[in-house]
Amino acid sequence: MIGVLLFYALYPLVCFLSRRSPEASKKRDRTSVAVNGTAVWDGDTVTLKYAQSGATKQDQSGETKERLKEPVTKEDSPSPNMDEEPLSAGLQDRRKDAAPEMTEVESAVEGEGEGPKMDDGEKVINHDIMYRNQNEKDQSTSTGDHVSEQRALVALPKCLTVEGSMQETSCPEQNHSQTTNLEMPVISVKETLQASNTDKSKTPEEPASAVTECWDDNIVTTRDLPADGAGNSDFAPNPLHSISQTYRKPDELRGAQTGWDFPVRPGLSQEVSCSLRSFPAASYYTTVEPTVPLKVMWRVWEELDAASESVLTPFTIERASLDFTVMSYNILAQDLLELNQHLYAHCPLEVLQWNYRCSLLLSEIEKWAPDILCLQEVQENHYHEDLHPVLSQMGYTCVYQRRTGKKTDGCAICYQSTCFTEAAVSKLEFFRPETKLLDRHNVGIVLLLRPLVATGAELKEAGPPLCVANTHLLFNPRRGDVKLAQLAIMLAEIDAMIKSCKARGEHCNVVFCGDFNAIPYMPLYQLVTTGELYYQGIPTWMVSGQEDLSYKPSYHRLFAPLWPSSLGISDICQYTTENMFKTDCQNSGTRKYTHEFMLQLRLCPAACVRPQDLILIPGVTDNRPDTSEDVQHYYRFRDRLRHQVDLGSVYKHVLHGSGSPEVTTLHSEGGATVDYIFYTPKRAFSKDQRAYKKSAEKGLKLLGSLSLLSEDLLWSMNGLPNHIFPSDHLSLVAQFQLELDNA
Amino acid sequence: MNNKFDALKDDDSGDHEQDQGSPKDSEKEKPEEEEKEQIIIKKKMVVPGPGEHPLQYNYTFWYSRRTPGRPASTQSYEQNIKQIGSFASVEQFWRFYSHMIRPGDLTGHSDFHLFKEGIKPMWEDDANKMGGKWIIRLRKGLASRCWENLILAMLGEQFMVGEEICGAVVSVRFQEDIISIWNKTASDQATTARIRDTLRRVLNLPPNTIMEYKTHTDSIKAWEDFHGLVNASSGR
């Protein structure tokens, strides 16, 4: 009976607490748990279950409420602490109207010691939780019309009072809960997960990774309960009660919030920003039995501050516009995973299985429903067998380009057929047998899309075209020279697309996604974002900055020219001959050269030697090339690489609040930002307002993005891939606004 | 070889003495030249170097200067004109060009000619006899820039008129400079219009710039009419 009681008390609390501290849930420092001032954690088993939310969504709120109270055996009244402390927990207000929750975690907690009774308790509580979840959903549905208004916030107290003793939670995280996502598809993942979770032989690190520090308080509390029955009954109902209260009076809560703002799409979202300890592999923890599902959100949607925007545009002109979402995602090809198993030794085996990862991946795509999806490391057979069929059903049109050579993966761009139509496709292979430098088998895709707008029942092309590019540059940290050349090919193709639009009098905006295998602010990144790079003498390893190889006794440096002119790409990353690659070749075979290109070769070494057969005519053929100003001008720029595509990064590479670096990829050898979404930003327009009014503004307006996570936090989730994130990269998601100039 | 004028390519300074006045003579010359090409191995045709950017056609630079006080004639014109060199690639072009004085810095009554290899910068050449030229008169100070823009566009195949272009000339005169571009078929108005439009674009000419098209037959007639009174090389 005590066990049952304990569970009744424990589960709701856990639910509540995990809601409040989702991000910490993987990073549990059991030893830090203090019970009545004593550090205690004896290895109670705790685990998280990940599942897709959103089973059947009947309106059961009434019933649910009833059931919610069932476990609350003795008192309905919430403890005052629970109700008030959430508000004081330092939640910040965060405006996230349309933020869907990222990942939900159903977690289960179970006291290890209560063997036989466990099953019963587990079932009951499972029900309760499920109903509670449904209840939440129902409630959120009921307020669905005002989703954007709804701020369902639940904060957890920093301190819980149990038996009169204050227990300081070990992390000062803020958290909030959101309604669960009604749109979340039910996928068999849930069953899989449950099955795997109930498997007692599962890897020991899972429990560790599944528990938040906040849970510790919770657990400690509940473990204390048996010692004090009254305390138990007083405390137990609180979580549930406070949650439901929260939903009833979101406004009240919101009023009390400071600093944070929450996503309010039906769904549960939470964010924790506490300093966390790393637990890469807490394998010494005892195994855990999963039971109760809990929902946790790991990543939140961050909208761009509307205030700062309005500074840029003091007055807005009504225009038709198209909001669209772009996702860039390196999904980790299974073959590469298996080839580099040492990078994923920290992962439980089941999260490395393709079927499992694939279903997580697809549900993540479905959740964010990007209008444009740029995938890297898409294994060819998986693309054809698993991804493409589902993506097609989801309304995507896909373009796939496999890497050349022996590697089985490639890149894909998928776009919603109802939003865009294809105007041009370029599949690029960076392997150029005639150019020694380009001996690597990486690829890229450049698409030219035209926005579709519904006019009546019809979809019509409208507005300026959008160039979408996706690539996965060479990984090898030492070969910055190859990376730059590959990047130059991409930029040249993008440039050609832009030019083809310009020729029709259209401005073309660019979204350039991919895994660039280069970290922020290093030379390659600089070239992309500033359009310029003085490369002379830079060590090749430094180009990407992935690793500091300066300790090596010798390394190569960059010297002009980076690549031979036979590549057909200039040092302003443009094609030198218009017919070089299937762009605009009217009379194939004609060797056309632009003025700019001809000028670039003016001072090539071959041009500076006096022709042997040139007769000397004083005053006519006695010029010397290096005396003119022009010559010096051209010399000056020979060690410079430029491009003319205006690009900025969606992500700022530092996390909001904590200031720690964002991480887009993580494996056992470390984490970093190497994935990007670059786009043509909307520049503050000139003073010439008339010009502004005449034509649609150039550039894309960034509306928001999906927050990334820090390396510490990811390690607290046991690294990548894990039960929530199916790849060793995180997805990057951004929403843009494209002005349609036919308004 | 990419050069369409391979058959004519041996048109070097050794041909100076030949009479260019008669079309029939020119036609007869062709087989002779081909034979010569096979015999004279030292006169190898220019080819792009390894890794260089081949041009659609090979070109030859010429330079001419009026000999003061001498009566003008076809013969003397031909003797006054000197081949500077031929090239087949962008790089080779710059080798010559960057060792040549800019037209604006030339002294006296002189011309630079840049013609496809095998075409002589003369009205009487087979490629030119049915042709004509666009003429643009420039005030002093503009010639160097305009000439460079013009020949870069020509070498880079920016005129998009197939094989119609024959060559270009910059003529430095006392009070003005003249640039002209020659094409094969004066009667092809579509081509000449296209050349004009491209010229305006690549030279970045003001809209009111006067551009004059002149057929070579007119030029020859005018020259014959005023034979002895007008300098032979003027307007070429």
Side-chain angles (χ1 to χ4, degrees), chain A residues 610 614-624, chain B residues 63-65 82 84 99-102 105-108 110 112:
Chain A
R610 185 178 177 89
L614 178 60
I615 50 168
L616 186 68
I617 309 172
V620 179
T621 63
D622 53 357
N623 196 23
R624 299 180 61 163
Chain B
Y63 168 73
S64 65
R65 181 183 172 86
K82 280 194 167 63
I84 289 174
H99 289 89
M100 290 159 62
I101 301 294
R102 302 287 166 270
D105 301 329
L106 286 176
T107 55
S110 44
F112 275 129

PDB file of all heavy atoms in Angstrom, chain A residues 610 614-624, chain B residues 63-65 82 84 99-102 105-108 110 112:
ATOM      1  N   ARG A 610      56.763  38.776 -72.137  1.00  0.00           N
ATOM      2  CA  ARG A 610      56.732  39.363 -73.469  1.00  0.00           C
ATOM      3  C   ARG A 610      56.791  38.257 -74.518  1.00  0.00           C
ATOM      4  O   ARG A 610      57.648  37.372 -74.452  1.00  0.00           O
ATOM      5  CB  ARG A 610      57.922  40.305 -73.643  1.00  0.00           C
ATOM      6  CG  ARG A 610      57.879  41.041 -74.973  1.00  0.00           C
ATOM      7  CD  ARG A 610      59.046  42.002 -75.119  1.00  0.00           C
ATOM      8  NE  ARG A 610      58.977  42.617 -76.438  1.00  0.00           N
ATOM      9  CZ  ARG A 610      58.304  43.725 -76.696  1.00  0.00           C
ATOM     10  NH1 ARG A 610      57.658  44.326 -75.729  1.00  0.00           N
ATOM     11  NH2 ARG A 610      58.265  44.222 -77.918  1.00  0.00           N
ATOM     12  N   LEU A 614      57.186  39.034 -80.698  1.00  0.00           N
ATOM     13  CA  LEU A 614      56.655  40.402 -80.794  1.00  0.00           C
ATOM     14  C   LEU A 614      57.780  41.345 -81.210  1.00  0.00           C
ATOM     15  O   LEU A 614      58.765  41.521 -80.492  1.00  0.00           O
ATOM     16  CB  LEU A 614      56.082  40.821 -79.431  1.00  0.00           C
ATOM     17  CG  LEU A 614      55.524  42.233 -79.355  1.00  0.00           C
ATOM     18  CD1 LEU A 614      54.385  42.444 -80.342  1.00  0.00           C
ATOM     19  CD2 LEU A 614      55.059  42.534 -77.938  1.00  0.00           C
ATOM     20  N   ILE A 615      57.604  41.916 -82.399  1.00  0.00           N
ATOM     21  CA  ILE A 615      58.630  42.842 -82.850  1.00  0.00           C
ATOM     22  C   ILE A 615      58.542  44.119 -82.036  1.00  0.00           C
ATOM     23  O   ILE A 615      57.463  44.525 -81.604  1.00  0.00           O
ATOM     24  CB  ILE A 615      58.484  43.167 -84.353  1.00  0.00           C
ATOM     25  CG1 ILE A 615      57.034  43.567 -84.651  1.00  0.00           C
ATOM     26  CG2 ILE A 615      58.925  42.004 -85.218  1.00  0.00           C
ATOM     27  CD1 ILE A 615      56.857  44.167 -86.012  1.00  0.00           C
ATOM     28  N   LEU A 616      59.691  44.700 -81.820  1.00  0.00           N
ATOM     29  CA  LEU A 616      59.732  45.902 -80.999  1.00  0.00           C
ATOM     30  C   LEU A 616      59.562  47.135 -81.863  1.00  0.00           C
ATOM     31  O   LEU A 616      60.403  47.459 -82.694  1.00  0.00           O
ATOM     32  CB  LEU A 616      61.061  45.966 -80.232  1.00  0.00           C
ATOM     33  CG  LEU A 616      61.149  47.114 -79.234  1.00  0.00           C
ATOM     34  CD1 LEU A 616      60.189  46.913 -78.080  1.00  0.00           C
ATOM     35  CD2 LEU A 616      62.575  47.267 -78.730  1.00  0.00           C
ATOM     36  N   ILE A 617      58.444  47.793 -81.713  1.00  0.00           N
ATOM     37  CA  ILE A 617      58.216  49.053 -82.399  1.00  0.00           C
ATOM     38  C   ILE A 617      58.164  50.129 -81.319  1.00  0.00           C
ATOM     39  O   ILE A 617      57.246  50.132 -80.504  1.00  0.00           O
ATOM     40  CB  ILE A 617      56.889  49.042 -83.183  1.00  0.00           C
ATOM     41  CG1 ILE A 617      56.813  47.802 -84.084  1.00  0.00           C
ATOM     42  CG2 ILE A 617      56.733  50.327 -83.991  1.00  0.00           C
ATOM     43  CD1 ILE A 617      55.457  47.623 -84.728  1.00  0.00           C
ATOM     44  N   PRO A 618      59.134  50.975 -81.292  1.00  0.00           N
ATOM     45  CA  PRO A 618      59.149  51.998 -80.239  1.00  0.00           C
ATOM     46  C   PRO A 618      57.860  52.812 -80.261  1.00  0.00           C
ATOM     47  O   PRO A 618      57.374  53.201 -81.321  1.00  0.00           O
ATOM     48  CB  PRO A 618      60.355  52.863 -80.613  1.00  0.00           C
ATOM     49  CG  PRO A 618      61.221  51.969 -81.429  1.00  0.00           C
ATOM     50  CD  PRO A 618      60.289  51.054 -82.175  1.00  0.00           C
ATOM     51  N   GLY A 619      57.306  52.997 -79.106  1.00  0.00           N
ATOM     52  CA  GLY A 619      56.080  53.777 -79.016  1.00  0.00           C
ATOM     53  C   GLY A 619      54.834  52.976 -79.351  1.00  0.00           C
ATOM     54  O   GLY A 619      53.728  53.515 -79.295  1.00  0.00           O
ATOM     55  N   VAL A 620      55.004  51.706 -79.700  1.00  0.00           N
ATOM     56  CA  VAL A 620      53.827  50.908 -80.041  1.00  0.00           C
ATOM     57  C   VAL A 620      53.805  49.584 -79.261  1.00  0.00           C
ATOM     58  O   VAL A 620      52.813  49.252 -78.626  1.00  0.00           O
ATOM     59  CB  VAL A 620      53.782  50.610 -81.561  1.00  0.00           C
ATOM     60  CG1 VAL A 620      52.559  49.767 -81.895  1.00  0.00           C
ATOM     61  CG2 VAL A 620      53.765  51.903 -82.348  1.00  0.00           C
ATOM     62  N   THR A 621      54.894  48.874 -79.313  1.00  0.00           N
ATOM     63  CA  THR A 621      54.912  47.569 -78.645  1.00  0.00           C
ATOM     64  C   THR A 621      55.973  47.523 -77.551  1.00  0.00           C
ATOM     65  O   THR A 621      56.515  46.472 -77.246  1.00  0.00           O
ATOM     66  CB  THR A 621      55.165  46.434 -79.648  1.00  0.00           C
ATOM     67  OG1 THR A 621      56.463  46.635 -80.222  1.00  0.00           O
ATOM     68  CG2 THR A 621      54.124  46.395 -80.727  1.00  0.00           C
ATOM     69  N   ASP A 622      56.242  48.640 -76.969  1.00  0.00           N
ATOM     70  CA  ASP A 622      57.236  48.635 -75.901  1.00  0.00           C
ATOM     71  C   ASP A 622      56.590  48.920 -74.545  1.00  0.00           C
ATOM     72  O   ASP A 622      57.223  49.435 -73.639  1.00  0.00           O
ATOM     73  CB  ASP A 622      58.363  49.627 -76.201  1.00  0.00           C
ATOM     74  CG  ASP A 622      57.811  51.013 -76.498  1.00  0.00           C
ATOM     75  OD1 ASP A 622      56.568  51.160 -76.519  1.00  0.00           O
ATOM     76  OD2 ASP A 622      58.606  51.937 -76.698  1.00  0.00           O
ATOM     77  N   ASN A 623      55.352  48.571 -74.429  1.00  0.00           N
ATOM     78  CA  ASN A 623      54.681  48.739 -73.146  1.00  0.00           C
ATOM     79  C   ASN A 623      55.145  47.639 -72.190  1.00  0.00           C
ATOM     80  O   ASN A 623      55.541  46.558 -72.611  1.00  0.00           O
ATOM     81  CB  ASN A 623      53.161  48.652 -73.346  1.00  0.00           C
ATOM     82  CG  ASN A 623      52.422  49.192 -72.150  1.00  0.00           C
ATOM     83  OD1 ASN A 623      52.961  49.985 -71.383  1.00  0.00           O
ATOM     84  ND2 ASN A 623      51.190  48.757 -71.992  1.00  0.00           N
ATOM     85  N   ARG A 624      55.083  47.931 -70.916  1.00  0.00           N
ATOM     86  CA  ARG A 624      55.392  46.892 -69.927  1.00  0.00           C
ATOM     87  C   ARG A 624      54.179  46.724 -69.012  1.00  0.00           C
ATOM     88  O   ARG A 624      53.685  47.686 -68.457  1.00  0.00           O
ATOM     89  CB  ARG A 624      56.634  47.269 -69.129  1.00  0.00           C
ATOM     90  CG  ARG A 624      57.834  47.407 -70.039  1.00  0.00           C
ATOM     91  CD  ARG A 624      59.061  47.765 -69.261  1.00  0.00           C
ATOM     92  NE  ARG A 624      59.376  46.727 -68.285  1.00  0.00           N
ATOM     93  CZ  ARG A 624      60.569  46.642 -67.706  1.00  0.00           C
ATOM     94  NH1 ARG A 624      61.509  47.503 -68.010  1.00  0.00           N
ATOM     95  NH2 ARG A 624      60.806  45.697 -66.829  1.00  0.00           N
TER      96      ARG A 624
ATOM     97  N   TYR B  63      49.306  46.668 -86.830  1.00  0.00           N
ATOM     98  CA  TYR B  63      49.536  48.077 -86.525  1.00  0.00           C
ATOM     99  C   TYR B  63      49.868  48.787 -87.835  1.00  0.00           C
ATOM    100  O   TYR B  63      50.600  48.247 -88.668  1.00  0.00           O
ATOM    101  CB  TYR B  63      50.706  48.225 -85.539  1.00  0.00           C
ATOM    102  CG  TYR B  63      51.202  49.641 -85.388  1.00  0.00           C
ATOM    103  CD1 TYR B  63      50.453  50.590 -84.684  1.00  0.00           C
ATOM    104  CD2 TYR B  63      52.421  50.041 -85.954  1.00  0.00           C
ATOM    105  CE1 TYR B  63      50.896  51.885 -84.545  1.00  0.00           C
ATOM    106  CE2 TYR B  63      52.880  51.343 -85.814  1.00  0.00           C
ATOM    107  CZ  TYR B  63      52.122  52.265 -85.101  1.00  0.00           C
ATOM    108  OH  TYR B  63      52.568  53.549 -84.982  1.00  0.00           O
ATOM    109  N   SER B  64      49.320  49.967 -88.035  1.00  0.00           N
ATOM    110  CA  SER B  64      49.660  50.717 -89.252  1.00  0.00           C
ATOM    111  C   SER B  64      49.853  52.181 -88.889  1.00  0.00           C
ATOM    112  O   SER B  64      49.272  52.684 -87.921  1.00  0.00           O
ATOM    113  CB  SER B  64      48.561  50.570 -90.312  1.00  0.00           C
ATOM    114  OG  SER B  64      47.366  51.158 -89.854  1.00  0.00           O
ATOM    115  N   ARG B  65      50.683  52.809 -89.686  1.00  0.00           N
ATOM    116  CA  ARG B  65      50.982  54.213 -89.428  1.00  0.00           C
ATOM    117  C   ARG B  65      51.201  54.880 -90.777  1.00  0.00           C
ATOM    118  O   ARG B  65      51.895  54.358 -91.648  1.00  0.00           O
ATOM    119  CB  ARG B  65      52.245  54.302 -88.566  1.00  0.00           C
ATOM    120  CG  ARG B  65      52.659  55.702 -88.214  1.00  0.00           C
ATOM    121  CD  ARG B  65      53.974  55.641 -87.420  1.00  0.00           C
ATOM    122  NE  ARG B  65      54.529  56.959 -87.203  1.00  0.00           N
ATOM    123  CZ  ARG B  65      54.189  57.739 -86.180  1.00  0.00           C
ATOM    124  NH1 ARG B  65      53.330  57.313 -85.283  1.00  0.00           N
ATOM    125  NH2 ARG B  65      54.731  58.941 -86.050  1.00  0.00           N
ATOM    126  N   LYS B  82      51.660  46.388 -90.268  1.00  0.00           N
ATOM    127  CA  LYS B  82      52.549  45.356 -89.732  1.00  0.00           C
ATOM    128  C   LYS B  82      51.761  44.407 -88.848  1.00  0.00           C
ATOM    129  O   LYS B  82      50.935  44.831 -88.043  1.00  0.00           O
ATOM    130  CB  LYS B  82      53.637  46.022 -88.872  1.00  0.00           C
ATOM    131  CG  LYS B  82      54.770  46.631 -89.652  1.00  0.00           C
ATOM    132  CD  LYS B  82      55.916  46.940 -88.687  1.00  0.00           C
ATOM    133  CE  LYS B  82      57.204  47.269 -89.400  1.00  0.00           C
ATOM    134  NZ  LYS B  82      57.094  48.512 -90.235  1.00  0.00           N
ATOM    135  N   ILE B  84      51.534  42.296 -85.687  1.00  0.00           N
ATOM    136  CA  ILE B  84      52.191  42.292 -84.376  1.00  0.00           C
ATOM    137  C   ILE B  84      52.248  40.880 -83.822  1.00  0.00           C
ATOM    138  O   ILE B  84      53.245  40.473 -83.230  1.00  0.00           O
ATOM    139  CB  ILE B  84      51.464  43.250 -83.427  1.00  0.00           C
ATOM    140  CG1 ILE B  84      51.727  44.689 -83.871  1.00  0.00           C
ATOM    141  CG2 ILE B  84      51.914  43.048 -81.993  1.00  0.00           C
ATOM    142  CD1 ILE B  84      50.966  45.715 -83.113  1.00  0.00           C
ATOM    143  N   HIS B  99      51.641  44.295 -73.675  1.00  0.00           N
ATOM    144  CA  HIS B  99      52.930  44.819 -74.113  1.00  0.00           C
ATOM    145  C   HIS B  99      52.799  45.862 -75.208  1.00  0.00           C
ATOM    146  O   HIS B  99      53.787  46.301 -75.780  1.00  0.00           O
ATOM    147  CB  HIS B  99      53.843  43.673 -74.566  1.00  0.00           C
ATOM    148  CG  HIS B  99      54.321  42.826 -73.433  1.00  0.00           C
ATOM    149  ND1 HIS B  99      53.624  41.730 -72.976  1.00  0.00           N
ATOM    150  CD2 HIS B  99      55.418  42.937 -72.630  1.00  0.00           C
ATOM    151  CE1 HIS B  99      54.264  41.190 -71.945  1.00  0.00           C
ATOM    152  NE2 HIS B  99      55.357  41.909 -71.719  1.00  0.00           N
ATOM    153  N   MET B 100      51.555  46.216 -75.469  1.00  0.00           N
ATOM    154  CA  MET B 100      51.315  47.237 -76.488  1.00  0.00           C
ATOM    155  C   MET B 100      50.865  48.526 -75.821  1.00  0.00           C
ATOM    156  O   MET B 100      50.178  48.518 -74.794  1.00  0.00           O
ATOM    157  CB  MET B 100      50.220  46.757 -77.467  1.00  0.00           C
ATOM    158  CG  MET B 100      50.679  45.618 -78.375  1.00  0.00           C
ATOM    159  SD  MET B 100      49.301  44.686 -79.050  1.00  0.00           S
ATOM    160  CE  MET B 100      48.462  45.932 -79.979  1.00  0.00           C
ATOM    161  N   ILE B 101      51.275  49.621 -76.421  1.00  0.00           N
ATOM    162  CA  ILE B 101      50.862  50.931 -75.926  1.00  0.00           C
ATOM    163  C   ILE B 101      49.350  51.073 -76.123  1.00  0.00           C
ATOM    164  O   ILE B 101      48.786  50.584 -77.106  1.00  0.00           O
ATOM    165  CB  ILE B 101      51.620  52.034 -76.711  1.00  0.00           C
ATOM    166  CG1 ILE B 101      53.135  51.858 -76.528  1.00  0.00           C
ATOM    167  CG2 ILE B 101      51.168  53.425 -76.304  1.00  0.00           C
ATOM    168  CD1 ILE B 101      53.617  52.076 -75.109  1.00  0.00           C
ATOM    169  N   ARG B 102      48.698  51.729 -75.165  1.00  0.00           N
ATOM    170  CA  ARG B 102      47.264  51.978 -75.328  1.00  0.00           C
ATOM    171  C   ARG B 102      47.032  52.938 -76.492  1.00  0.00           C
ATOM    172  O   ARG B 102      47.850  53.852 -76.699  1.00  0.00           O
ATOM    173  CB  ARG B 102      46.678  52.571 -74.055  1.00  0.00           C
ATOM    174  CG  ARG B 102      46.865  51.713 -72.817  1.00  0.00           C
ATOM    175  CD  ARG B 102      45.971  50.499 -72.847  1.00  0.00           C
ATOM    176  NE  ARG B 102      46.398  49.524 -71.843  1.00  0.00           N
ATOM    177  CZ  ARG B 102      47.272  48.554 -72.063  1.00  0.00           C
ATOM    178  NH1 ARG B 102      47.818  48.399 -73.263  1.00  0.00           N
ATOM    179  NH2 ARG B 102      47.634  47.715 -71.133  1.00  0.00           N
ATOM    180  N   ASP B 105      47.603  56.549 -76.192  1.00  0.00           N
ATOM    181  CA  ASP B 105      48.963  57.026 -76.002  1.00  0.00           C
ATOM    182  C   ASP B 105      49.787  56.950 -77.285  1.00  0.00           C
ATOM    183  O   ASP B 105      50.984  57.263 -77.275  1.00  0.00           O
ATOM    184  CB  ASP B 105      49.656  56.205 -74.896  1.00  0.00           C
ATOM    185  CG  ASP B 105      48.913  56.307 -73.575  1.00  0.00           C
ATOM    186  OD1 ASP B 105      48.307  57.377 -73.336  1.00  0.00           O
ATOM    187  OD2 ASP B 105      48.902  55.338 -72.798  1.00  0.00           O
ATOM    188  N   LEU B 106      49.158  56.499 -78.342  1.00  0.00           N
ATOM    189  CA  LEU B 106      49.883  56.444 -79.620  1.00  0.00           C
ATOM    190  C   LEU B 106      50.096  57.855 -80.137  1.00  0.00           C
ATOM    191  O   LEU B 106      49.298  58.762 -79.877  1.00  0.00           O
ATOM    192  CB  LEU B 106      49.081  55.645 -80.654  1.00  0.00           C
ATOM    193  CG  LEU B 106      49.040  54.118 -80.491  1.00  0.00           C
ATOM    194  CD1 LEU B 106      48.121  53.523 -81.538  1.00  0.00           C
ATOM    195  CD2 LEU B 106      50.440  53.531 -80.587  1.00  0.00           C
ATOM    196  N   THR B 107      51.171  58.000 -80.876  1.00  0.00           N
ATOM    197  CA  THR B 107      51.427  59.314 -81.461  1.00  0.00           C
ATOM    198  C   THR B 107      51.166  59.255 -82.955  1.00  0.00           C
ATOM    199  O   THR B 107      51.275  58.199 -83.582  1.00  0.00           O
ATOM    200  CB  THR B 107      52.890  59.733 -81.226  1.00  0.00           C
ATOM    201  OG1 THR B 107      53.733  58.695 -81.729  1.00  0.00           O
ATOM    202  CG2 THR B 107      53.152  59.951 -79.759  1.00  0.00           C
ATOM    203  N   GLY B 108      50.802  60.355 -83.492  1.00  0.00           N
ATOM    204  CA  GLY B 108      50.663  60.468 -84.935  1.00  0.00           C
ATOM    205  C   GLY B 108      49.406  59.822 -85.469  1.00  0.00           C
ATOM    206  O   GLY B 108      48.443  59.553 -84.749  1.00  0.00           O
ATOM    207  N   SER B 110      47.930  56.869 -86.565  1.00  0.00           N
ATOM    208  CA  SER B 110      48.179  55.425 -86.550  1.00  0.00           C
ATOM    209  C   SER B 110      46.943  54.628 -86.145  1.00  0.00           C
ATOM    210  O   SER B 110      46.016  55.169 -85.550  1.00  0.00           O
ATOM    211  CB  SER B 110      49.365  55.091 -85.642  1.00  0.00           C
ATOM    212  OG  SER B 110      49.279  55.819 -84.440  1.00  0.00           O
ATOM    213  N   PHE B 112      45.454  50.656 -84.718  1.00  0.00           N
ATOM    214  CA  PHE B 112      45.569  49.260 -84.326  1.00  0.00           C
ATOM    215  C   PHE B 112      44.430  48.496 -84.995  1.00  0.00           C
ATOM    216  O   PHE B 112      43.283  48.973 -85.029  1.00  0.00           O
ATOM    217  CB  PHE B 112      45.431  49.089 -82.803  1.00  0.00           C
ATOM    218  CG  PHE B 112      46.718  49.282 -82.050  1.00  0.00           C
ATOM    219  CD1 PHE B 112      46.762  50.140 -80.960  1.00  0.00           C
ATOM    220  CD2 PHE B 112      47.873  48.591 -82.415  1.00  0.00           C
ATOM    221  CE1 PHE B 112      47.934  50.315 -80.244  1.00  0.00           C
ATOM    222  CE2 PHE B 112      49.047  48.766 -81.696  1.00  0.00           C
ATOM    223  CZ  PHE B 112      49.077  49.637 -80.616  1.00  0.00           C
TER     224      PHE B 112
END
